[in-house]
Amino acid sequence: HNLFEARTDILYKVRETADQVGKNRQERFKNLEHSFMVKNPEKISGRTVIVFDDILTTGATLGEAARALSDAGASRLLCIALAH
């Protein structure tokens, strides 16, 4: 078991969403609701997961990603955005 793995095959967008541009905070969260799922949850079950996003505006994307990962069994989540 590796101490650290970079994975791009765990979190998937399962439905198309409208563009977030021009939406207020509430609309952004509603737009992304249940739009992500975890493939192969056994890969993250009981593990700490770090999620990277390019830009943080309202946190809707990271929040929904965190919800999906937590529901799939991640024991701890660290969310990092490269720009605000």
Side-chain angles (χ1 to χ4, degrees):
H1 207 35
N2 294 332
L3 180 62
F4 176 81
E5 292 179 79
R7 306 287 304 245
T8 59
D9 62 341
I10 300 294
L11 190 64
Y12 286 89
K13 195 166 187 183
V14 293
R15 68 176 179 83
E16 287 299 315
T17 56
D19 194 346
Q20 294 283 76
V21 175
K23 290 183 173 27
N24 66 33
R25 180 179 177 82
Q26 183 178 8
E27 292 167 333
R28 286 173 180 250
F29 278 87
K30 184 69 174 167
N31 185 42
L32 289 174
E33 192 173 56
H34 301 291
S35 61
F36 293 108
M37 70 167 258
V38 173
K39 189 170 189 178
N40 302 319
E42 67 278 1
K43 302 278 186 189
I44 64 163
S45 182
R47 297 186 73 185
T48 297
V49 177
I50 303 170
V51 182
F52 291 93
D53 198 3
D54 56 348
I55 297 174
L56 177 72
T57 304
T58 61
T61 303
L62 282 175
E64 183 57 25
R67 184 212 51 83
L69 292 161
S70 179
D71 287 354
S75 65
R76 184 173 177 208
L77 296 164
L78 302 171
C79 297
I80 299 171
L82 301 178
H84 185 273

